[in-house]
Amino acid sequence: MTYRSNLERVLSDGKFAVTVEIGPPKGCDPNKIKEKAKIVNGWADAFNITDNQTAVVRMSSFASCCILKKMKMEPVMQITCRDRNRIALQSDILGAAAIGVKNILCLTGDHQSFGNHPGAKGVYDIDSVQLIHILRNMRDNGIFQSGDKILAGNPDVFIGAAANPYADPYELRVDRLEKKIAAGADFIQTQSVFNVEKFSLYMDEVCSRGLDDRVHILAGITPLKSVKMTERMRFFVPGVDVPEHIAKKMENAKDPKEEGYNIALELISEIKQIKGVHGIHITALFWEDIIPSLVKDSGLLPRL
Amino acid sequence: MIITKKKEFKDIVDVVGKGPVFIAGCSECATICHTGGEEEILEMKNALIDKKIEVTGSILLEPACHLLNDKRLFRQHKKELERANKILVLACGNGVQTVSEISKDWDVISGTDTLFLGEIKRANDFEKRCQMCGECFVDTFEGLCPVSRCPKSMLNGPCGGSKNGKCEVDSELDCIWILIYNSLKEKDELHRLNELRDCKDWSKSLKMRRTL
Ligand code: SF4
Ligand code: SF4
């Protein structure tokens, strides 16, 4: 069996996968992203490169993936529908596949009003479900969205999507996931999990529909760095559910950093037990240097 | 209806300069929006005169987007127009352009900001309903338009950010996808949300002209 990417190989082998997010710098200094990448190199199976996350202008996801490739690290290129229409999106997919990007994660994107250019015109020509579907058709059927044929090479990539187990209305959460799978998603990275109980229920439903056999789900983990960050995640980030008991723990901690780290360790060990979860996706916002020990202490890597 | 809002008066004064200016309002949408009816024309006239700006006259166009009516009505105000070097139009962007078309010798100034095609909920309360995409398919979405009413125009919504029925982008705004969901749920047809909605054909919105 040949695999498209290292991430696909790890997941298909039934191993518990680890992905780590790297945010490109707010500037063109390639050393900035290289430094971040060096810290986490070897501590994940693939590395997500965000695409102007929260609508703040940063080095492009595509260029950052090129830099990572040169460092012999495997990127997951994130691509959003906010800034590009179907022409640019498909063109970037071809370009990324050409330079050897093997994983692409399709997102609708955070609305421009949240970022540092609120006056920008959002594109939103298509949405994430449609992007997943387009990518699958490009890969498997060699056709563009318009139906026109690809003439010189289909992008052979492992297709990713995001899922939020906490969003309203709860009743639709697994349906939304199923829709993304039907559209063509091979793997899913979820919103940061803090409320394990609710996530468990979600996964029960996922497994009872047999979706865990059709897609690889990586649960999101975000180590909390401070009380302020906990508050922000709790009240201002759409679709995040930080339960009271975790917020309390952070508030009462002598050393919030250490507490946040321990909470993350606990979450990982609980999530590992949940049926249908095939890996962990770590997003350590402005705290990348914590990742190697988090991955090691939680027993994720190196694999025994 | 075309929904407009008043521009800041000081911004209008900046553009009008010393005048003299002629004011044109609109009998339809701008009247209902209270941005360009009889009252607003009078109000604008007095405010400009207070600023020592000469106002040579005014007119209520019927409506401002009607080329032939504009021509006819302007002829009746020839003298007042001749004394002005600017025309301030209190109507939607279409009205401003129609007036521009027949007023090559004047500087034509937009006096309102045109927002959207929307519904009158009650007096002075308007809500966006449509962005004239060229191919209406609201019947597939329970008569609710996600193209114009979801800030991300998602056809396979909702996104992951909707909370308590409100939109993640603006907590005052109903998440249109929750409204669609509620309506389907009531009919016990939630399964319809699982149908993958194809990309929209925006070439349909390219039509620049239609004749009857
Ligand atoms: S589908 Fe198009 S035409 Fe119909 S209401 Fe929405 S924007 Fe207007
Ligand atoms: S919350 Fe609802 S209306 Fe707002 S962007 Fe998401 S799907 Fe669209």
Side-chain angles (χ1 to χ4, degrees):
Chain A
M1 176 93 195
T2 54
Y3 297 111
R4 297 184 177 91
S5 67
N6 180 50
L7 181 62
E8 181 176 16
R9 188 179 54 74
V10 169
L11 287 165
S12 303
D13 284 352
K15 292 180 183 140
F16 202 76
V18 183
T19 54
V20 156
E21 182 170 300
I22 300 176
K26 232 169 152 176
C28 65
D29 182 356
N31 293 322
K32 281 279 175 279
I33 185 154
K34 284 184 193 161
E35 280 160 24
K36 271 195 192 180
K38 253 185 226 150
I39 296 173
V40 293
N41 195 358
W43 293 105
D45 301 304
F47 302 86
N48 279 53
I49 301 291
T50 51
D51 179 9
N52 298 297
Q53 202 186 9
T54 61
V56 171
V57 178
R58 293 175 178 278
M59 185 187 287
S60 75
S61 155
F62 178 77
S64 306
C65 285
C66 293
I67 294 174
L68 232 68
K69 287 288 298 172
K70 278 200 187 137
M71 297 173 71
K72 306 261 179 287
M73 292 168 73
E74 177 169 298
V76 175
M77 184 170 97
Q78 299 196 175
I79 182 166
T80 74
C81 302
R82 178 193 54 232
D83 312 318
R84 276 158 294 185
N85 67 7
R86 64 193 82 177
I87 299 174
L89 288 166
Q90 292 179 100
S91 161
D92 279 355
I93 287 169
L94 294 181
I99 63 132
V101 169
K102 303 288 190 191
N103 312 290
I104 295 182
L105 183 90
C106 305
L107 303 164
T108 299
D110 300 314
H111 194 265
Q112 63 275 10
S113 59
F114 294 117
N116 65 350
H117 291 74
K121 181 177 192 299
V123 177
Y124 300 115
D125 177 23
I126 58 175
D127 62 27
S128 59
V129 174
Q130 293 164 339
L131 180 57
I132 294 163
H133 195 59
I134 290 173
L135 182 46
R136 209 241 322 252
N137 273 328
M138 289 172 80
R139 183 186 74 186
D140 297 349
N141 303 322
I143 50 169
F144 292 110
Q145 184 274 330
S146 62
D148 196 15
K149 277 203 180 67
I150 295 181
L151 293 181
N154 303 354
D156 196 23
V157 295
F158 194 41
I159 304 173
N164 186 351
Y166 302 110
D168 284 347
Y170 183 70
E171 188 181 358
L172 277 190
R173 290 344 296 168
V174 182
D175 285 350
R176 294 277 304 151
L177 174 72
E178 195 165 355
K179 196 169 186 178
K180 286 185 174 178
I181 298 170
D186 302 312
F187 72 99
I188 299 286
Q189 291 170 329
T190 77
Q191 176 64 271
S192 307
V193 173
F194 293 103
N195 187 336
V196 179
E197 211 174 308
K198 208 162 168 190
F199 181 62
S200 257
L201 291 174
Y202 171 85
M203 286 307 300
D204 283 348
E205 173 72 16
V206 168
C207 294
S208 78
R209 293 197 201 178
L211 300 180
D212 54 324
D213 292 330
R214 292 169 58 196
V215 81
H216 298 290
I217 296 181
L218 284 73
I221 284 287
T222 300
L224 297 166
K225 199 180 180 181
S226 62
V227 177
K228 207 171 127 202
M229 174 182 172
T230 311
E231 296 285 290
R232 211 185 49 236
M233 296 291 279
R234 207 165 168 215
F235 300 112
F236 299 108
V237 183
V240 178
D241 179 352
V242 182
E244 177 98 37
H245 70 95
I246 288 189
K248 275 262 138 54
K249 263 193 195 168
M250 287 299 288
E251 247 170 66
N252 300 333
K254 270 203 210 82
D255 181 351
K257 262 184 155 180
E258 194 187 312
E259 187 64 60
Y261 182 79
N262 289 332
I263 293 171
L265 277 179
E266 246 167 70
L267 287 170
I268 294 174
S269 84
E270 282 174 301
I271 289 167
K272 268 205 280 187
Q273 309 302 320
I274 299 175
K275 184 172 178 294
V277 179
H278 296 175
I280 292 281
H281 172 59
I282 305 175
T283 306
L285 302 160
F286 309 106
W287 202 14
E288 283 83 3
D289 44 339
I290 199 69
I291 290 174
S293 55
L294 185 64
V295 172
K296 199 162 94 201
D297 293 350
S298 58
L300 291 170
L301 292 176
R303 287 192 188 88
L304 299 176
Chain B
M1 189 178 60
I2 304 294
I3 311 299
T4 47
K5 83 179 206 316
K6 284 182 180 171
K7 278 188 185 289
E8 291 288 333
F9 181 66
K10 67 171 176 26
D11 293 341
I12 291 182
V13 172
D14 281 350
V15 190
V16 170
K18 291 201 187 74
V21 62
F22 181 84
I23 304 172
C26 174
S27 62
E28 299 286 339
C29 305
T31 291
I32 299 172
C33 287
H34 295 290
T35 50
E38 295 275 16
E39 261 176 54
E40 293 75 32
I41 294 173
L42 190 65
E43 196 182 281
M44 179 60 72
K45 200 168 169 178
N46 293 335
L48 289 172
I49 290 169
D50 273 356
K51 290 268 170 201
K52 312 251 177 309
I53 297 168
E54 186 190 347
V55 179
T56 64
S58 65
I59 190 173
L60 186 72
L61 297 167
E62 292 176 336
C65 55
H66 196 303
L67 185 68
L68 291 179
N69 277 1
D70 288 3
K71 274 188 185 162
R72 179 175 54 81
L73 287 165
F74 267 27
R75 269 198 297 273
Q76 296 171 9
H77 290 259
K78 206 161 164 253
K79 287 243 158 58
E80 297 164 21
L81 278 158
E82 270 168 6
R83 280 197 289 120
N85 58 19
K86 293 179 176 163
I87 303 174
L88 173 63
V89 186
L90 304 179
C92 73
N94 187 157
V96 179
Q97 292 185 59
T98 306
V99 170
S100 293
E101 216 172 313
I102 58 170
S103 315
K104 298 288 175 227
D105 296 335
W106 289 265
D107 288 341
V108 176
I109 301 163
S110 353
T112 76
D113 292 317
T114 303
L115 298 174
F116 47 74
L117 179 53
E119 174 180 286
I120 311 164
K121 296 197 80 69
R122 56 185 85 82
N124 302 331
D125 186 1
F126 312 99
E127 210 170 84
K128 187 173 180 175
R129 284 292 178 269
C130 175
Q131 66 183 55
M132 297 169 280
C133 71
E135 185 180 39
C136 192
F137 55 175
V138 291
D139 43 355
T140 52
F141 302 102
E142 297 299 288
L144 297 157
C145 173
V147 180
S148 59
R149 297 172 69 183
C150 165
K152 299 181 195 166
S153 293
M154 292 185 73
L155 298 190
N156 293 281
C159 75
S162 132
K163 193 153 200 177
N164 304 325
K166 297 296 178 191
C167 172
E168 68 166 15
V169 176
D170 179 352
S171 57
E172 308 251 292
L173 187 77
D174 288 329
C175 167
I176 190 67
W177 273 101
I178 299 301
L179 298 183
I180 296 171
Y181 160 84
N182 288 341
S183 168
L184 286 170
K185 188 174 169 148
E186 213 160 276
K187 293 194 206 159
D188 207 13
E189 285 180 18
L190 274 183
H191 61 272
R192 286 188 42 211
L193 285 177
N194 300 339
E195 293 160 22
L196 198 148
R197 297 275 164 224
D198 245 336
C199 305
K200 189 160 177 55
D201 181 358
W202 284 103
S203 71
K204 298 283 203 292
S205 74
L206 264 180
K207 286 253 179 300
M208 294 288 178
R209 191 181 164 88
R210 174 175 179 268
T211 45
L212 268 183

